[in-house]
Amino acid sequence: MRKFPLLFILLILSASLASAWDVDKKYKGPKTPVTDTTWHPDILEGYEARYVDQGEAFDGPCRSTIVRLLNKKGSRRAFLYIHGFNDYFFQAEMGKRFVDSGYNFYAVDLRRYGRSYEPWQYPFNIRKQEEYFADIDSALVQIRRDGNTDITLGGHSTGGLTVAFYGAMRGEDVGVDRIVTDSPFLEWNFNSFMRNIAAPTIGFFGKIFPNGKIKQGHCDGYAYSLLKEYYGEWTYNTDWKMIYSPPVTMSWVGAINRAQSKTMKNASKISVPILVMHSSRKIDGCNYTPEFQTGDAVLDPFMLQKRGEKLGHVRQVCAIDSGLHDLILSKKESRDAAYDTIFSFIRRH
């Protein structure tokens, strides 16, 4: 029994030395950040965006991007959306729903994601989840500058973990009125050994080999359930939201582990009402089948339910029938239910 953990550790170390990211090209150009922080037309029709210089990070200069769609009738209520892993903001319908309901809508492409990605960066990489707090803070400054006085902070998957973590660590100083999460990454979708031993071990070695890569499964089920050219309803940039999940760094695994742990340890410090939404069922498998259209193929909703019930003091934890991992990308009936849940939660709190 003692030999197995040692063997596992050796496998981790060998994985950390393996090349990952099929494009093994090392960037050799200058690390010159884009300094234009003025608003410009966004890639989504009707939206506008601007970059935020986030200074020097462990891999060089970095930036975040604020995207907004303002209510033309004027509003002091705003919703700020934070995307998940292997993702960026592309859900034009989402912003329009909020604007039509009387809100100003904002989203952030976090550092190393989507609009914010720089060629010298390893996509989606992070050393600690707290780095994203600056990206959120910058957006909140802009939201208040635009005259908004009632703010809802929302996030999906790792973005859901980030906003819950943000609420737990900021406590009374969170600066928003409520938090909304869509399938938040509060727990790994692994068995007990992988959750409690393997992932923390990888995270530990991530401090020594931060850029060591862990390859992901070559699974297409979730992407095919979303993309219009396959079986879904959506069109997006597959260079920014890839069909096959890219390798993650060992430091990324460690960052997620620590954020999950700190969120739960400080769950009672979440001072604002929090909504935790998840699918009604878990989908197992790798390659697409019609079942992928009926549940969460990424996380375990029952684990999210269990952990969500410990967040904050005023909370709502609920399942969206047949929702996909990203509930607002589900079939119409399910995403309508998700939007109805969000808006009724905001009205009540």
Side-chain angles (χ1 to χ4, degrees):
M1 293 295 290
R2 292 180 181 177
K3 291 182 179 179
F4 182 74
L6 177 59
L7 176 61
F8 182 78
I9 290 169
L10 290 174
L11 288 172
I12 290 172
L13 288 174
S14 65
S16 75
L17 300 176
S19 64
W21 199 245
D22 293 335
V23 239
D24 266 338
K25 300 173 185 174
K26 298 287 185 181
Y27 179 78
K28 297 180 181 178
K31 294 184 178 181
T32 305
V34 175
T35 56
D36 179 10
T37 57
T38 57
W39 290 102
H40 55 267
D42 186 51
I43 55 176
L44 298 177
E45 186 178 355
Y47 287 76
E48 56 184 346
R50 76 172 181 89
Y51 301 123
V52 179
D53 182 356
Q54 296 294 354
E56 194 78 12
F58 62 85
D59 53 357
C62 70
R63 66 185 180 186
S64 60
T65 309
I66 303 172
V67 183
R68 73 181 180 186
L69 184 66
L70 299 179
N71 188 306
K72 293 181 180 179
K73 295 180 180 179
S75 175
R76 292 186 177 274
R77 298 183 296 171
F79 187 92
L80 172 60
Y81 173 75
I82 309 298
H83 61 77
F85 173 73
N86 185 22
D87 205 356
Y88 72 103
F89 175 66
F90 64 90
Q91 300 91 330
E93 179 194 73
M94 185 183 193
K96 291 174 182 176
R97 288 232 192 183
F98 276 93
V99 167
D100 289 346
S101 298
Y103 298 82
N104 292 313
F105 179 84
Y106 299 79
V108 173
D109 272 12
L110 299 168
R111 55 189 68 191
R112 306 181 190 91
Y113 283 88
R115 300 164 179 83
S116 304
Y117 175 72
E118 299 278 22
W120 56 83
Q121 296 172 332
Y122 185 83
F124 324 141
N125 196 17
I126 198 76
R127 296 281 171 86
K128 57 181 184 178
Q129 210 74 5
E130 289 92 336
E131 289 182 53
Y132 294 141
F133 288 6
D135 302 358
I136 294 173
D137 288 340
S138 300
L140 290 176
V141 168
Q142 180 66 59
I143 289 170
R144 295 187 191 101
R145 187 184 299 152
D146 288 346
N148 295 284
T149 55
D150 183 281
I151 305 171
T152 302
L153 175 60
H156 162 62
S157 196
T158 54
L161 168 63
T162 299
V163 300
F165 183 34
Y166 185 88
M169 302 311 292
R170 290 291 174 86
E172 295 289 341
D173 298 321
V174 67
V176 299
D177 296 278
R178 62 199 68 80
I179 294 172
V180 167
T181 66
D182 168 356
S183 304
F185 190 9
L186 300 173
E187 180 63 286
W188 297 95
N189 184 16
F190 295 142
N191 60 35
S192 179
F193 171 79
M194 292 295 290
R195 291 197 314 271
N196 300 319
I197 298 177
T201 300
I202 293 172
F204 171 78
F205 280 101
K207 296 179 180 180
I208 306 170
F209 307 103
N211 293 321
K213 310 298 192 302
I214 307 296
K215 291 187 177 182
Q216 306 299 291
H218 200 67
C219 297
D220 58 34
Y222 182 52
Y224 281 16
S225 70
L226 299 179
L227 283 163
K228 197 170 187 178
E229 59 260 46
Y230 296 101
Y231 307 98
E233 299 178 46
W234 311 100
T235 300
Y236 52 81
N237 184 338
T238 53
D239 288 330
W240 288 354
K241 182 177 175 65
M242 302 168 201
I243 292 177
Y244 300 105
S245 182
V248 296
T249 62
M250 298 173 80
S251 62
W252 182 89
V253 175
I256 293 294
N257 272 332
R258 289 188 293 275
Q260 289 174 340
S261 177
K262 287 182 179 180
T263 299
M264 300 317 298
K265 285 179 181 176
N266 294 279
S268 64
K269 295 181 182 178
I270 296 175
S271 61
V272 295
I274 184 166
L275 171 64
V276 179
M277 300 186 297
H278 58 77
S279 178
S280 60
R281 60 177 60 85
K282 174 184 175 183
I283 303 299
D284 293 313
C286 185
N287 299 116
Y288 181 83
T289 66
E291 193 177 25
F292 273 81
Q293 298 285 359
T294 67
D296 191 329
V298 179
L299 298 179
D300 184 339
F302 307 106
M303 290 181 177
L304 306 188
Q305 173 82 25
K306 186 176 179 181
R307 288 207 158 188
E309 289 173 348
K310 298 177 181 179
L311 299 180
H313 302 282
V314 179
R315 75 183 74 85
Q316 178 182 348
V317 185
C318 64
I320 302 299
D321 186 36
S322 303
L324 301 186
H325 174 58
D326 191 336
L327 296 168
I328 63 166
L329 299 182
S330 304
K331 62 184 179 182
K332 188 177 186 307
E333 295 83 355
S334 298
R335 70 177 183 265
D336 283 348
Y339 281 120
D340 288 346
T341 301
I342 292 171
F343 289 126
S344 64
F345 175 81
I346 292 174
R347 284 194 298 270
R348 287 199 312 275
H349 301 287

